[in-house]
Amino acid sequence: MDITKFVVSQRDKALLVGDYGSYRKQSSRRLLVVRKKLNYASRGRKYTPKTPITAEDIARNHEFVHLLLLSAERAWALAMHMKSTQTADGSRGVTGSTKRHITSKLQKAVSYATHLVNLLQEKDRSETSSQSLLEARAYQQSLRGAIAFEKRDWERCLKSFSETRLLYTSFVQSAGTKQDDLFRDLLSSNIDPSMRYAAYQMKLPRTMSIDTIVVRYVQPTYNAYVSEVLKSNPDLLQGLGASARKSGTGKSEDMPKTIKWRSRTVDLEDASTAQALASLSAAETRLASFLSANQDLDPKSKAAAYDDVLLPSQDAVDATKTAIDELTAEGVAQGDARMQSLQITRTAVNYNLVSWRIGRNRVLCGEHDGATFKSETNRKPRKQRASEGSRAAQEEESNGRKLTRLRERVVLYDSTIQSLDSTKDFPGVAADQAFVDELEAKKAYFSSLRCLAIARSHSLHGSKRNALALLARALELSSQSSLLRVPADQSTADGATKLEVRPEQTKFLKDFLERMVLQYRALVELEETDSAASKVKSTNPLPLIERLDEYPPKGVDLTNLVTYPPKVQPVPVKPIFLDVAWNYIDYPGRPRKGATAAAAGKAEQETPKSEPKREAKKGWFGFGRS
C-alpha cells in the first residue's frame, strides 16, 4: 500500500508551493474526490452518521486506506496551520484556547490512524501485509508523539517517537535505494529534531545520541509491533546501541570527548558533532592509507579521494552550526560556557574543512604545488598513429593546451587565497595575531605560485618583460612566506596534503624563483640588445666597410658590405697637402698676392740700411714658404 510514501508525497506536493493551510485545502479536495470514487459521500443531512469502514472494504479496494489517511492528514494540517499562524504573530505564542484546539485536531488525526491500524490488524479480512501494518503503526505513533509534544509530556513524546524511529530504521535496512532516501528524509526532518528537543527538556546529556535514546525508551515498551520487528531483525536494538560508538571504519571505539584548537581544549557536549568528528577521523585514516599505498596515481585520482573526507568535514560543520542555532533559539547568551565551547568547536571544524579543500587544490596543481611545469605529450588517434608509424604516435603539447592548464592552476590558486581570506572571519581568529600572521604568510606563498603561473602564460605569449616583472613579484612574496614556521603538531607526515606549508617547500620555491628571475633577466637583456641593433640597422643602412667599429649581434649582412658602383665623394687626405695649398687659395679676409708684395717693398725702403736683413722663417720639415 505504501502508506509512508503516500503521506510524504502528499505533504511535499502541497508544502512545496504553499503552507499548511494550502495543504489542508488540498487534502479536503482530494478527500472529496476519493469519497465520490468510492461512493462513500454523505447524502441528505449534513451531520448524518457515515457508515464505518470495515476490513472487508479495505480488501475490496485499497482506496479506503487513502480515505482514512487523508482524513487524518486534513486534521493534522489544520493543527499545524494554527500553530504556525500563532507563532508568526509575535511573542504572544500559542494561547490556551488555541492550544486546546490544536490538541483536539491532533487527537482527531490519531483517532483516524488508530482506526486504520485496528483494521489492518485483521490481516485475513483486510488482505494486507505486515509491512503495511507496521507503516500504519509508525504513522500512528508519530501523531501520538506530536500530541505529547504539544502537551509538553516529554517522556511520552520520547516513547512514541522512539518506537516510530525504530520502525522506520527497520524499513531503511530492508527497503531499496529509493525507499531508503524516503525514510531517511522523514527521520531527519520530523522525528530527530523533536526527539532532540524533548531530550533537552528532560535534561538528558547532550552527548547522548538519538540511537541511544531510542534504545533507552523502546526497551520497556515492548509490544506486538516491536516484537515483530525484532523477530525479523534480532540485532536491531544492539546495532542502534553500537552505532553511537562506531566510527566510519566499522570498529567499535569511543567518540571524541574533546577537541583542540590552537592552545585551547574544549569538551564536545553535542552528540551529533561528536559523531561527525568520529566519522571524519575514520575518513582521514582511510585517506592517508590510500595515498600511502597508491603514490603513483595521477593528481586527479588523488584529488578524487579527498571527496570522502570533505563530506564528513562538511557534516561536522553543519552539526556544529545546528547545535549553536538550537542554543540561540533557546535564549542562551553568547557568554555562556556551552556557547563559547561550541564557538571554538565551530572555528576548529571550519578551519579543518578549509584545510582539506586547500589540500585538494594543492594536489590538483601537481608536484611542488605547481611550481614546476612539465610539458605533456598527447597521444594521437589510433588511425593517425597507424598511418604515421610509432615514432609519430605522440606529439608535443601545444601552447594552447599549456595556457589552459596554467589557467586552471590560477583558478585553483584564487580559490585557495579566497578560502584563506574567509578563515579570518571565523570566531576568535581576528584576536589571535600570531595566527593571522601565519595566515598572511601562507597567503603570500600561494600568491607567489599564482604570479609564477601567470608569468609562464606571458612567457608563452612571448612577453618576456611582463614575465620578468611577475617573477620579481613572486620572488618578493616568497621571501615573505619563507618566514613561516610550522608547529610540530601541524606536520603532515601521514601523506595527506592539507593547508600546512613546510619550510623546505618555501625554500624550494624561493630558490626556484631566484633562478627563474636570473634567467629571464638575461632573456630580456638579449631581447633589448637585439631590438636596439635592429633599430640601428633600420635607421642607418651603411655598408659594413663604414661600420667596422660596430659589432653585428645578428651576424654580418653579406648583401651590404660595400657601396658598388662607388660614388664620387670627398675623402680625407694628408694635412701637408692642405698646408701647401694655403699659398694658392684666396680665403676671405686675406689680402691678395700683388698687394702683399707692394706693401713688402715699401717697408724695405723705409727700413734703415744699417739694420741687417733677417733670415726668413722656414716652414714644416725645413721647407720654406715661397
Side-chain angles (χ1 to χ4, degrees):
M1 294 181 184
D2 292 334
I3 294 176
T4 306
K5 183 179 180 181
F6 176 80
V7 172
V8 173
S9 62
Q10 291 294 320
R11 291 181 181 180
D12 292 343
K13 188 184 302 182
L15 297 179
L16 184 63
V17 295
D19 55 359
Y20 293 106
S22 61
Y23 181 41
R24 174 178 174 271
K25 296 178 181 178
Q26 175 184 316
S27 300
S28 300
R29 292 192 297 267
R30 178 65 177 165
L31 187 61
L32 181 61
V33 172
V34 173
R35 282 176 178 173
K36 289 182 178 180
K37 183 178 179 181
L38 297 175
N39 197 20
Y40 193 74
S42 58
R43 296 179 178 83
R45 297 180 181 178
K46 180 177 181 181
Y47 297 105
T48 301
K50 300 180 179 61
T51 305
I53 300 175
T54 61
E56 288 78 6
D57 294 334
I58 295 177
R60 179 168 49 88
N61 194 337
H62 289 171
E63 288 288 337
F64 283 98
V65 175
H66 294 170
L67 183 63
L68 293 173
L69 290 175
L70 288 172
S71 300
E73 283 296 291
R74 183 175 63 172
W76 175 84
L78 179 57
M80 294 296 104
H81 177 63
M82 289 189 294
K83 181 179 179 180
S84 61
T85 303
Q86 291 294 325
T87 305
D89 286 343
S91 59
R92 183 179 60 176
V94 182
T95 58
S97 58
T98 306
K99 197 173 190 65
R100 288 191 297 270
H101 196 184
I102 292 173
T103 305
S104 173
K105 290 301 176 181
L106 289 176
Q107 188 63 47
K108 186 176 182 181
V110 170
S111 65
Y112 284 115
T114 304
H115 184 40
L116 175 61
V117 171
N118 294 334
L119 293 177
L120 295 181
Q121 282 180 342
E122 303 175 10
K123 298 181 181 179
D124 297 335
R125 297 174 56 191
S126 60
E127 298 180 1
T128 56
S129 61
S130 300
Q131 175 75 13
S132 300
L133 175 61
L134 293 177
E135 289 189 26
R137 174 67 178 182
Y139 177 67
Q140 176 198 21
Q141 289 298 101
S142 66
L143 294 176
R144 285 181 175 175
I147 291 180
F149 190 91
E150 295 300 327
K151 291 182 177 181
R152 298 185 176 275
D153 189 351
W154 306 118
E155 186 172 359
R156 281 185 56 198
C157 176
L158 285 179
K159 288 180 180 180
S160 299
F161 279 132
S162 295
E163 183 178 348
T164 303
R165 198 179 195 282
L166 180 69
L167 294 175
Y168 281 134
T169 303
S170 66
F171 299 157
V172 168
Q173 296 180 1
S174 61
T177 305
K178 295 183 179 180
Q179 295 289 334
D180 187 356
D181 297 338
L182 174 68
F183 293 129
R184 289 184 185 276
D185 292 341
L186 184 60
L187 289 175
S188 61
S189 60
N190 295 333
I191 309 300
D192 289 352
S194 301
M195 291 185 65
R196 179 60 63 190
Y197 186 78
Y200 170 76
Q201 293 294 335
M202 291 188 66
K203 301 187 183 304
L204 296 178
R206 295 181 65 89
T207 55
M208 183 179 293
S209 64
I210 297 292
D211 293 335
T212 306
I213 296 174
V214 170
V215 174
R216 180 174 179 176
Y217 283 92
V218 166
Q219 285 179 345
T221 58
Y222 276 166
N223 50 43
Y225 307 101
V226 176
S227 300
E228 185 173 354
V229 170
L230 296 179
K231 188 183 299 181
S232 59
N233 192 353
D235 300 331
L236 182 59
L237 282 178
Q238 289 79 0
L240 289 176
S243 64
R245 302 184 300 274
K246 285 187 177 181
S247 64
T249 58
K251 296 181 180 179
S252 179
E253 57 183 28
D254 294 334
M255 291 187 300
K257 303 296 183 182
T258 60
I259 186 172
K260 184 177 181 181
W261 168 247
R262 305 286 287 176
S263 60
R264 298 184 180 182
T265 302
V266 297
D267 296 331
L268 292 174
E269 299 182 357
D270 185 67
S272 301
T273 305
Q275 287 180 348
L277 289 176
S279 301
L280 174 60
S281 178
E284 291 176 354
T285 304
R286 290 196 303 269
L287 176 63
S289 59
F290 173 79
L291 293 178
S292 60
N294 302 274
Q295 297 181 359
D296 298 334
L297 287 178
D298 59 294
K300 290 185 178 180
S301 301
K302 291 181 180 180
Y306 276 71
D307 294 339
D308 297 334
V309 177
L310 291 174
L311 291 177
S313 293
Q314 186 64 52
D315 292 340
V317 172
D318 295 339
T320 307
K321 184 178 182 301
T322 302
I324 293 176
D325 292 342
E326 290 177 356
L327 288 181
T328 304
E330 295 167 9
V332 178
Q334 292 293 329
D336 189 85
R338 294 174 298 169
M339 184 66 76
Q340 290 294 318
S341 298
L342 283 176
Q343 292 290 357
I344 295 174
T345 304
R346 180 184 179 184
T347 301
V349 296
N350 275 283
Y351 182 74
N352 189 55
L353 176 61
V354 170
S355 299
W356 283 114
R357 285 177 178 172
I358 294 177
R360 183 178 181 273
N361 293 344
R362 295 175 68 182
V363 169
L364 285 174
C365 288
E367 190 177 1
H368 298 293
D369 297 330
T372 57
F373 187 75
K374 297 180 180 179
S375 178
E376 295 180 352
T377 55
N378 301 326
R379 293 185 61 85
K380 294 184 179 181
R382 182 178 300 177
K383 294 182 179 180
Q384 190 174 357
R385 293 201 306 267
S387 61
E388 296 180 0
S390 58
R391 293 184 179 179
Q394 294 181 349
E395 60 180 2
E396 188 177 355
E397 187 179 17
S398 62
N399 286 344
R401 175 57 183 164
K402 290 180 182 179
L403 290 172
T404 302
R405 290 171 53 203
L406 290 172
R407 192 179 300 114
E408 292 173 354
R409 288 191 182 184
V410 171
V411 171
L412 292 174
Y413 294 138
D414 289 337
S415 175
T416 299
I417 295 172
Q418 184 179 1
S419 299
L420 286 173
D421 290 336
S422 66
T423 305
K424 299 177 184 178
D425 298 331
F426 295 160
V429 171
D432 192 347
Q433 187 60 39
F435 184 61
V436 172
D437 294 341
E438 181 183 335
L439 291 177
E440 289 295 334
K442 293 176 180 178
K443 180 180 177 181
Y445 175 78
F446 292 106
S447 299
S448 176
L449 290 169
R450 180 179 182 273
C451 291
L452 175 58
I454 300 176
R456 285 197 172 103
S457 301
H458 282 278
S459 178
L460 291 176
H461 280 297
S463 180
K464 299 291 190 298
R465 187 185 297 271
N466 292 343
L468 177 60
L470 288 165
L471 288 172
R473 176 59 178 166
L475 180 59
E476 180 183 352
L477 292 171
S478 66
S479 301
Q480 299 176 12
S481 65
S482 62
L483 303 176
L484 180 64
R485 295 292 181 266
V486 181
D489 57 347
Q490 294 185 7
S491 61
T492 56
D494 54 356
T497 303
K498 294 178 69 175
L499 176 55
E500 287 70 26
V501 181
R502 298 188 296 273
E504 55 268 23
Q505 293 175 329
T506 58
K507 185 178 183 302
F508 173 83
L509 178 61
K510 184 178 180 182
D511 296 342
F512 181 78
L513 287 173
E514 287 177 351
R515 295 193 299 269
M516 291 287 289
V517 168
L518 291 176
Q519 177 185 355
Y520 274 81
R521 278 179 181 171
L523 292 175
V524 170
E525 186 67 26
L526 290 175
E527 192 177 61
E528 290 182 353
T529 304
D530 294 346
S531 61
S534 61
K535 187 182 295 185
V536 171
K537 181 179 178 181
S538 60
T539 57
N540 188 20
L542 295 176
L544 179 62
I545 193 171
E546 298 181 14
R547 294 183 290 109
L548 295 178
D549 59 330
E550 298 178 4
Y551 176 75
K554 292 187 176 182
V556 178
D557 186 7
L558 300 177
T559 62
N560 192 19
L561 296 177
V562 295
T563 302
Y564 185 84
K567 298 179 181 179
V568 178
Q569 56 184 353
V571 294
V573 294
K574 295 180 180 181
I576 188 172
F577 296 144
L578 294 176
D579 188 64
V580 172
W582 173 268
N583 299 325
Y584 302 97
I585 300 176
D586 292 335
Y587 293 96
R590 178 186 176 191
R592 302 183 63 181
K593 185 175 180 181
T596 305
K602 185 179 182 180
E604 289 179 358
Q605 294 177 2
E606 294 176 359
T607 303
K609 296 182 179 179
S610 60
E611 184 178 352
K613 186 178 181 180
R614 295 182 180 180
E615 185 179 0
K617 190 176 180 180
K618 297 182 179 180
W620 291 353
F621 306 106
F623 296 97
R625 297 176 183 240
S626 58

